[in-house]
Amino acid sequence: APEAAEGSLIAPLPGAVRRVLVVPGQRVRAGELLLTLEAMKLEHPVHAPSAGVVASLPVHPGAEVDTGELLAVLDPE
């Protein structure tokens, strides 16, 4: 599989996007909750690994994602 670009957040497991708490252009802090995935009836949080700006957010609530699929891209500050 091709390597993800710097700042890319990828799905750690297959599931459904349940909540998206940010929008493109939004500044986020390290550790801030960006979105949640539901897999095997459990909610899996996706947090910002570092401070930055949401550059891309190709998913929406209800979307099904596979392992390794792009969830968001953060431009570091």
Side-chain angles (χ1 to χ4, degrees):
E3 199 167 312
E6 185 177 344
S8 294
L9 300 173
I10 58 169
L13 66 168
V17 177
R18 287 295 168 228
R19 295 186 297 154
V20 176
L21 305 167
V22 295
V23 296
Q26 181 175 334
R27 287 192 181 286
V28 295
R29 297 179 315 275
E32 188 170 337
L33 181 61
L34 305 177
L35 57 96
T36 62
L37 296 175
E38 183 180 302
M40 300 184 302
K41 299 195 188 270
L42 296 173
E43 187 173 86
H44 301 274
V46 177
H47 297 276
S50 61
V53 175
V54 179
S56 175
L57 191 67
V59 296
H60 56 84
E64 295 287 331
V65 296
D66 288 323
T67 302
E69 193 166 329
L70 182 67
L71 299 173
V73 177
L74 294 181
D75 284 336
E77 288 189 317

